[in-house]
Amino acid sequence: MFCLKKKLWSSLVKHSGYCAIKYEGQEYSYSTLLVMAERLSISLRCNGLSQNHKLLICTSNPLFHCVGVIFSVLSGIPYVPIDYSLPRSRINTIIGSLGEHVVACTDSGTSGKFTQEGISISNMSQVFEIAEKKILASIQPFEDYNSELQYILFTSGSTGAPKGASIFCDGFNNLLQWYHDLISPTTESKCMVVSSLCFDLTQKNLFIALTSGSRLIFMNDLIFEPAVIAEQIDEEDIDWINCAPSAFYLIADEGQQSQLSSLRQVVLGGESINPKKIRTYRKLGLNCQFINSYGPTECTDVVMYHILEDIDYERDYIPLGKSIDNTQFELDKSHFSGKNTGELILKGICVGNGYINNSEQTAKSFFVDMDQIKSYRTGDLVKLESNGCLKFISRKDDQIKLHGYRIELGEVEANLNLCEYINMSVVKLGHEELIAYIQPISGCDNWDDKIHITKIKLQLAKQLPSYSLPSRYIVLEQFPLNRNGKIDRKSPLLSTHEQSDQSGSLEHFNKVTPKLIRTLLNTMSISTEGLSDHTPLKNYHISSLRMLKLYSILNQLTDSPPKLAELYGEVSINTLCSMIYTNPKSHFSIYCFTRGTQ
């Protein structure tokens, strides 16, 4: 069995002279990481760290983040990665749910977000000043606390309330063994991290690289800018990346195929793969190995995988694949009419310890079966096909009833994505109707809403019953992504056309004004209170992927939007309005629905 603690220590010592991390042009060796981890250990222990503590890591610097998780593994204390862009109130909610004995590792830009009493804080920006370029002659292994937990990741789920999914060390070691066998990393391998430091799939990439002497390359400024990422992949000769399909499509579409030629493996997860997209990339010469990975955060991220073969590119879906070692599954068919359809239940070493200090939510999804095996209800609906492959249908909470008929929104989307004119799609329930948001395929310069949507309707009618057909089609140039690289289904861009029974106000805009920009920011939970229209957007503390959402909306209002990088400079709300006013598109309408408080 893979032992992360032993593998990591051995790698840090064995590969001391190798480059471990490259970020913003700076390279950091394995020996530097080890020295910094020791300095952090001294600082934390001086602040009263004990075996009962949980290590909260909140930093905008991936070097600091990696040092924090290295210390966590070597010391045996579970870590809790927190997105640095979260508002202070949400961070306090997360800390409150962790209970007592929390120590926070921050940097100069994030330390001010921690205001709760009783929280010990170590500012890594200050701690590491004395460790810079100073290598100790001898470093001893860290004190061994041997916690059963590896890490705790907070996820909002469908409720919006943060839930801390606890992952066991044994389950994570089992995952890393599978990932190591799949990737076969060496000291020559390079992995580019294109997902949030707090995303579940990021954790395995950090550790499988660091235990193999490989090199981790991070996005410039941690900004997800697809064309720039494609350039980095080309310049750094990246071997493998792991991200959500939606994020990879953007990288592949906005970059050049030749820029991705170094990629040996692309591991996709978190969403269903559109085989039509991958087929297109293959025809354009992208010959890397594609892997479909499936698994929830609550079960160490990956429990099933499928290595795509030639036959898969002609399918209408990509199978979930086979289980990794020591993982089992079954289907709960009790609430479904189809004999081969049910909710997927996972069993075995992959299953975590539930949601920390949240017994009510834990009891809803986690249980022990009759054979005393840990089990988890995924909420994912799957179908066992005649060929023995599992096909993902949709989320259980995406199953709706409309006019008395049961409809799987994911199934409608999957069939839309197979239409020759569609790049990606999202289907949502509006006011007694299905609304399809669609993005035309790239290069479709002669797109005509009336002509092409009619063709899409005819094609879709051959695949689905009439009650499952969308009645409205909204054409988007680009889909918004959340911080994890998945399509952001809660984005105002995908909700402005829906009507709701909830109280609230619906505002209509057909020109760019400061009020429109402020409204868009507020719908993304970005506070504009106390800031003037002349304040640079960088002072609003907007996360990189929220900035990408704003950019995608601006893209639809003008033929010459500001560059994404400019939004991180001195551009203000007034500046944006001026830029778009001088070169607007001929016509647009945006509806912003603000919910009431009832």
Side-chain angles (χ1 to χ4, degrees), residues 224-251:
F224 184 86
E225 195 162 0
V228 176
I229 291 173
E231 291 177 4
Q232 280 189 272
I233 291 174
D234 184 31
E235 293 171 358
E236 301 290 348
D237 287 327
I238 300 299
D239 292 276
W240 93 87
I241 61 171
N242 181 196
C243 59
S246 298
F248 180 73
Y249 301 156
L250 283 174
I251 296 169

Short mmCIF file of all heavy atoms in Angstrom, two decimals, residues 224-251:
data_model
loop_
_atom_site.label_atom_id
_atom_site.label_comp_id
_atom_site.label_asym_id
_atom_site.label_seq_id
_atom_site.Cartn_x
_atom_site.Cartn_y
_atom_site.Cartn_z
N PHE A 224 -7.08 31.84 -13.99
CA PHE A 224 -7.43 30.88 -15.04
C PHE A 224 -7.70 31.66 -16.33
O PHE A 224 -8.81 32.12 -16.59
CB PHE A 224 -8.68 30.07 -14.64
CG PHE A 224 -9.03 29.01 -15.64
CD1 PHE A 224 -8.44 27.75 -15.57
CD2 PHE A 224 -9.95 29.26 -16.65
CE1 PHE A 224 -8.76 26.78 -16.50
CE2 PHE A 224 -10.27 28.29 -17.58
CZ PHE A 224 -9.67 27.04 -17.51
N GLU A 225 -6.66 31.82 -17.12
CA GLU A 225 -6.77 32.49 -18.42
C GLU A 225 -6.36 31.46 -19.47
O GLU A 225 -5.17 31.20 -19.67
CB GLU A 225 -5.89 33.73 -18.47
CG GLU A 225 -6.24 34.64 -19.62
CD GLU A 225 -5.68 36.05 -19.43
OE1 GLU A 225 -5.04 36.31 -18.41
OE2 GLU A 225 -5.89 36.88 -20.32
N PRO A 226 -7.34 30.83 -20.15
CA PRO A 226 -7.08 29.67 -21.01
C PRO A 226 -5.94 29.83 -22.01
O PRO A 226 -5.10 28.94 -22.14
CB PRO A 226 -8.42 29.46 -21.71
CG PRO A 226 -9.43 30.02 -20.77
CD PRO A 226 -8.78 31.19 -20.14
N ALA A 227 -5.91 30.94 -22.74
CA ALA A 227 -4.88 31.13 -23.76
C ALA A 227 -3.49 31.19 -23.13
O ALA A 227 -2.52 30.65 -23.69
CB ALA A 227 -5.15 32.40 -24.56
N VAL A 228 -3.39 31.82 -21.97
CA VAL A 228 -2.10 31.91 -21.27
C VAL A 228 -1.68 30.54 -20.75
O VAL A 228 -0.50 30.18 -20.79
CB VAL A 228 -2.19 32.92 -20.11
CG1 VAL A 228 -0.88 32.95 -19.32
CG2 VAL A 228 -2.51 34.32 -20.64
N ILE A 229 -2.65 29.76 -20.26
CA ILE A 229 -2.35 28.41 -19.78
C ILE A 229 -1.83 27.54 -20.92
O ILE A 229 -0.86 26.78 -20.76
CB ILE A 229 -3.60 27.77 -19.15
CG1 ILE A 229 -3.96 28.50 -17.84
CG2 ILE A 229 -3.40 26.28 -18.88
CD1 ILE A 229 -5.27 28.07 -17.24
N ALA A 230 -2.44 27.67 -22.10
CA ALA A 230 -1.96 26.91 -23.27
C ALA A 230 -0.51 27.28 -23.59
O ALA A 230 0.30 26.41 -23.93
CB ALA A 230 -2.86 27.17 -24.47
N GLU A 231 -0.18 28.56 -23.47
CA GLU A 231 1.19 29.00 -23.71
C GLU A 231 2.14 28.39 -22.68
O GLU A 231 3.25 27.96 -23.02
CB GLU A 231 1.27 30.53 -23.64
CG GLU A 231 0.58 31.24 -24.80
CD GLU A 231 0.62 32.75 -24.65
OE1 GLU A 231 1.27 33.22 -23.68
OE2 GLU A 231 0.01 33.45 -25.47
N GLN A 232 1.71 28.35 -21.41
CA GLN A 232 2.55 27.76 -20.36
C GLN A 232 2.78 26.28 -20.60
O GLN A 232 3.88 25.76 -20.38
CB GLN A 232 1.90 27.97 -18.99
CG GLN A 232 2.11 29.35 -18.40
CD GLN A 232 1.62 29.42 -16.97
OE1 GLN A 232 0.46 29.70 -16.71
NE2 GLN A 232 2.51 29.15 -16.03
N ILE A 233 1.72 25.57 -21.01
CA ILE A 233 1.86 24.14 -21.30
C ILE A 233 2.92 23.92 -22.36
O ILE A 233 3.75 23.01 -22.28
CB ILE A 233 0.50 23.55 -21.74
CG1 ILE A 233 -0.47 23.52 -20.56
CG2 ILE A 233 0.67 22.14 -22.31
CD1 ILE A 233 -1.88 23.10 -20.93
N ASP A 234 2.91 24.78 -23.37
CA ASP A 234 3.87 24.68 -24.47
C ASP A 234 5.29 25.03 -24.00
O ASP A 234 6.24 24.29 -24.24
CB ASP A 234 3.44 25.62 -25.60
CG ASP A 234 4.33 25.52 -26.84
OD1 ASP A 234 4.86 24.42 -27.10
OD2 ASP A 234 4.49 26.53 -27.53
N GLU A 235 5.42 26.14 -23.29
CA GLU A 235 6.73 26.61 -22.86
C GLU A 235 7.39 25.66 -21.85
O GLU A 235 8.60 25.47 -21.87
CB GLU A 235 6.61 28.01 -22.24
CG GLU A 235 6.22 29.09 -23.25
CD GLU A 235 5.91 30.41 -22.58
OE1 GLU A 235 5.96 30.46 -21.32
OE2 GLU A 235 5.59 31.38 -23.28
N GLU A 236 6.58 25.05 -20.97
CA GLU A 236 7.12 24.21 -19.90
C GLU A 236 7.15 22.73 -20.26
O GLU A 236 7.61 21.92 -19.46
CB GLU A 236 6.29 24.40 -18.61
CG GLU A 236 6.25 25.82 -18.08
CD GLU A 236 7.58 26.27 -17.53
OE1 GLU A 236 8.48 25.43 -17.33
OE2 GLU A 236 7.74 27.48 -17.28
N ASP A 237 6.64 22.36 -21.45
CA ASP A 237 6.58 20.95 -21.85
C ASP A 237 5.85 20.11 -20.80
O ASP A 237 6.37 19.11 -20.28
CB ASP A 237 7.98 20.37 -22.08
CG ASP A 237 8.61 20.90 -23.36
OD1 ASP A 237 7.86 21.16 -24.32
OD2 ASP A 237 9.84 21.07 -23.40
N ILE A 238 4.64 20.51 -20.47
CA ILE A 238 3.85 19.85 -19.43
C ILE A 238 3.46 18.44 -19.86
O ILE A 238 3.04 18.22 -21.00
CB ILE A 238 2.58 20.67 -19.12
CG1 ILE A 238 2.95 22.08 -18.63
CG2 ILE A 238 1.71 19.96 -18.09
CD1 ILE A 238 3.76 22.12 -17.37
N ASP A 239 3.60 17.48 -18.94
CA ASP A 239 3.26 16.09 -19.23
C ASP A 239 1.80 15.75 -18.96
O ASP A 239 1.18 15.03 -19.72
CB ASP A 239 4.14 15.15 -18.37
CG ASP A 239 5.59 15.21 -18.77
OD1 ASP A 239 5.97 14.51 -19.72
OD2 ASP A 239 6.35 15.98 -18.16
N TRP A 240 1.28 16.26 -17.83
CA TRP A 240 -0.11 15.92 -17.53
C TRP A 240 -0.81 17.06 -16.80
O TRP A 240 -0.18 17.84 -16.09
CB TRP A 240 -0.21 14.62 -16.73
CG TRP A 240 -0.25 14.70 -15.23
CD1 TRP A 240 -1.36 14.87 -14.44
CD2 TRP A 240 0.85 14.59 -14.32
NE1 TRP A 240 -1.01 14.87 -13.12
CE2 TRP A 240 0.33 14.69 -13.00
CE3 TRP A 240 2.23 14.41 -14.48
CZ2 TRP A 240 1.14 14.62 -11.87
CZ3 TRP A 240 3.04 14.33 -13.34
CH2 TRP A 240 2.48 14.44 -12.07
N ILE A 241 -2.10 17.15 -17.04
CA ILE A 241 -2.96 18.07 -16.30
C ILE A 241 -4.20 17.31 -15.88
O ILE A 241 -4.56 16.28 -16.46
CB ILE A 241 -3.36 19.33 -17.12
CG1 ILE A 241 -4.16 18.93 -18.38
CG2 ILE A 241 -2.15 20.15 -17.49
CD1 ILE A 241 -4.76 20.13 -19.09
N ASN A 242 -4.86 17.83 -14.86
CA ASN A 242 -6.08 17.22 -14.33
C ASN A 242 -7.05 18.35 -14.04
O ASN A 242 -6.75 19.23 -13.23
CB ASN A 242 -5.73 16.44 -13.06
CG ASN A 242 -6.91 15.74 -12.40
OD1 ASN A 242 -6.82 15.34 -11.25
ND2 ASN A 242 -8.01 15.57 -13.12
N CYS A 243 -8.19 18.35 -14.71
CA CYS A 243 -9.14 19.44 -14.50
C CYS A 243 -10.53 19.00 -14.93
O CYS A 243 -10.73 17.88 -15.41
CB CYS A 243 -8.72 20.68 -15.30
SG CYS A 243 -8.60 20.42 -17.08
N ALA A 244 -11.51 19.88 -14.73
CA ALA A 244 -12.86 19.61 -15.19
C ALA A 244 -12.91 19.72 -16.72
O ALA A 244 -12.15 20.50 -17.31
CB ALA A 244 -13.84 20.60 -14.56
N PRO A 245 -13.78 18.94 -17.38
CA PRO A 245 -13.87 19.02 -18.85
C PRO A 245 -14.10 20.44 -19.37
O PRO A 245 -13.46 20.85 -20.35
CB PRO A 245 -15.05 18.10 -19.17
CG PRO A 245 -15.04 17.09 -18.07
CD PRO A 245 -14.63 17.87 -16.84
N SER A 246 -14.99 21.20 -18.71
CA SER A 246 -15.28 22.55 -19.19
C SER A 246 -14.03 23.42 -19.22
O SER A 246 -13.84 24.23 -20.13
CB SER A 246 -16.33 23.22 -18.29
OG SER A 246 -17.55 22.51 -18.34
N ALA A 247 -13.17 23.26 -18.21
CA ALA A 247 -11.93 24.03 -18.16
C ALA A 247 -10.99 23.61 -19.28
O ALA A 247 -10.36 24.45 -19.93
CB ALA A 247 -11.25 23.85 -16.80
N PHE A 248 -10.90 22.30 -19.53
CA PHE A 248 -10.01 21.84 -20.60
C PHE A 248 -10.49 22.29 -21.97
O PHE A 248 -9.68 22.64 -22.83
CB PHE A 248 -9.89 20.31 -20.58
CG PHE A 248 -8.98 19.78 -21.65
CD1 PHE A 248 -7.61 19.94 -21.54
CD2 PHE A 248 -9.50 19.18 -22.79
CE1 PHE A 248 -6.75 19.49 -22.54
CE2 PHE A 248 -8.65 18.72 -23.79
CZ PHE A 248 -7.28 18.88 -23.67
N TYR A 249 -11.81 22.27 -22.19
CA TYR A 249 -12.34 22.73 -23.49
C TYR A 249 -11.89 24.17 -23.77
O TYR A 249 -11.51 24.51 -24.89
CB TYR A 249 -13.87 22.67 -23.51
CG TYR A 249 -14.47 21.31 -23.26
CD1 TYR A 249 -15.77 21.19 -22.78
CD2 TYR A 249 -13.75 20.14 -23.50
CE1 TYR A 249 -16.33 19.94 -22.55
CE2 TYR A 249 -14.31 18.89 -23.27
CZ TYR A 249 -15.61 18.79 -22.78
OH TYR A 249 -16.17 17.57 -22.54
N LEU A 250 -11.95 25.02 -22.72
CA LEU A 250 -11.54 26.41 -22.91
C LEU A 250 -10.06 26.50 -23.26
O LEU A 250 -9.66 27.27 -24.14
CB LEU A 250 -11.82 27.21 -21.64
CG LEU A 250 -13.28 27.61 -21.38
CD1 LEU A 250 -13.41 28.28 -20.02
CD2 LEU A 250 -13.79 28.55 -22.47
N ILE A 251 -9.22 25.72 -22.58
CA ILE A 251 -7.79 25.74 -22.85
C ILE A 251 -7.51 25.28 -24.28
O ILE A 251 -6.74 25.90 -25.02
CB ILE A 251 -7.04 24.84 -21.85
CG1 ILE A 251 -7.19 25.38 -20.43
CG2 ILE A 251 -5.56 24.72 -22.23
CD1 ILE A 251 -6.70 24.43 -19.35
#
